[in-house]
Amino acid sequence: MPNVAELIREHVTLDVKCVDRLYLNGYVPRLQSEGGVVAFLRQAGGRVIPSPAVFGEITTSFRTRLRAWCDEREIPWIEFRKGERKDDLVQKYRDRLRAASGVVLVGVAQERAWAWTARKSQRGAWVHFTWQRASVYVNHYYIYVIDREWGPAFIKVCGYAPYALKLCLNGHEWAKRQAQHRRRRFTALDNGFLAAANPAAVQALCDSLSAADIEAFFERWLAEVPLPLTRRDRAAGFAYQLSILQMEVSRTQVFAHPRQGREFFEEVLRDQLDLGRPARLQLLFPRQITRSTPSRFSTRIVTQGVIPSLHVEYKRCHIKQYFKEERALRTETTFNDTRDFGVGRGLRNFDYLRTLGQHINTRVLETEQVAHDCGLAPAQLADLVRPSQTAHGQPAPALKVGEPRVMALLGAVASFVCTPDGLTNGRLRPVVAQLLGVAPDRYTARQMGYDLRRLVRKGLVRRVPGKLCYTVTPGGRRIALFLTKVHARVLRPGLHALDMTVSTRMPPPLRRAFDALDAATDALIHEARIAA
């Protein structure tokens, strides 16, 4: 079977990097504080006392205006039932829409939201309201649209103050629309590209998506559909801003034949079973598996009809690989909280997050390829296992292959090669202790610090400037993966097979071969007449 590096290098017909799903929050900055709420109520209600009754009037008025707007345009109005799959229902209405752009339907669902609630205090004629946030079940209005630039999308509007909006967009759909406008020939994959006459042109379109395109969509529909806050409110300083709630950055690599994609996952999943610390390995079957399900499941884990899925989690960031439509490898990084990477949620960070997501995807793929092509030159191995000096004359202690502490250290490094935010003493130490088979307090922070210095001076990791954390170097990835594999898959099972004290009914092939070699050597010595 070809290895992972060969499959990616020789059998991928199209490679496209693109932002995938975008889930954005539309919020009114001045309605996020109690003072802003009071100012809004006095202005909107025209009253001295900022009464919560004003919010009730706005909510009722919004629903009435939205319903009348739908009736006037003959837009379907649907009450979603609890547990109903909205996308399945909406797709039927999308198929009926003949216009290139327009509103598909408006759906209403009761969902939880954070809303402003008031507490009333009264002493005689004096009335005062204090405001606080509370979790409540309220009506949300899903406005499903077909946009001329973005294709299928929806805007979700909360009918209660502070009147938050949610936007759901898809970067692949945007790129397809741009390719159609420019008459670029391509074959569509569900939520992606299967083939393209000019792959470089398609990639350039994907790269051209910007925060300005997202803002343009928002402004276009903000002017089109009724909202709780009117144009007058927005002109008075109560305007919406966008922030990033969730952003998916993907890389899609189409294989020439489905068999090659299944071979890729066979090898990658096999690697994850005994290296590092796999969080989750999933195989998604197209039917429910219960105790009464007939037949048995063979040890071949990637077959026709089985969707392999590999997941890596870091804080609230999720990296996923899966086999899309039996044709394409999809590597996808999902940012669920941008603060995990030291940036805010503002839309101005869109370009940075896209670059970061592509970097993470590339690192995952590079690591998988290096794992199948990670051989070391003799000089590299010799430099590793012997004491040496750095270019600055600092001593670099040996990393002796086979020594338990060294192998635990390398195994821990191998499990952190995809970590986007680097590794630290605190993150690495419990993993090394676990692989050593000792309690965490038996492997101290001081010992971890010494081992990190060894790794730095041998070039396996490098210090991040200005921070107490490290990143694994490309050479370090190769060394950690190679030696961990050699130890786990060659030395340990090989020495166990050759252990004469372990009796088995059927000797392992390696022991039989060794016994045959030993017997042949004895026969050769006997024929030479040099021993009694």
Side-chain angles (χ1 to χ4, degrees), residues 373-392:
D373 188 14
C374 57
L376 296 180
Q380 291 176 294
L381 189 58
D383 181 67
L384 190 73
V385 300
R386 295 174 184 169
S388 59
Q389 286 189 335
T390 68
H392 301 289

Side-chain angles (χ1 to χ4, degrees), residues 73 75 93-104 144-149 151-152 177 221 224:
R73 290 161 177 77
I75 296 170
Y93 289 87
R94 285 197 187 111
D95 295 339
R96 298 174 192 171
L97 189 70
R98 298 295 176 231
S101 177
V103 177
V104 176
Y144 286 89
V145 304
I146 300 290
D147 184 74
R148 64 177 182 268
E149 299 291 333
R177 289 297 191 284
W221 289 101
E224 179 74 18

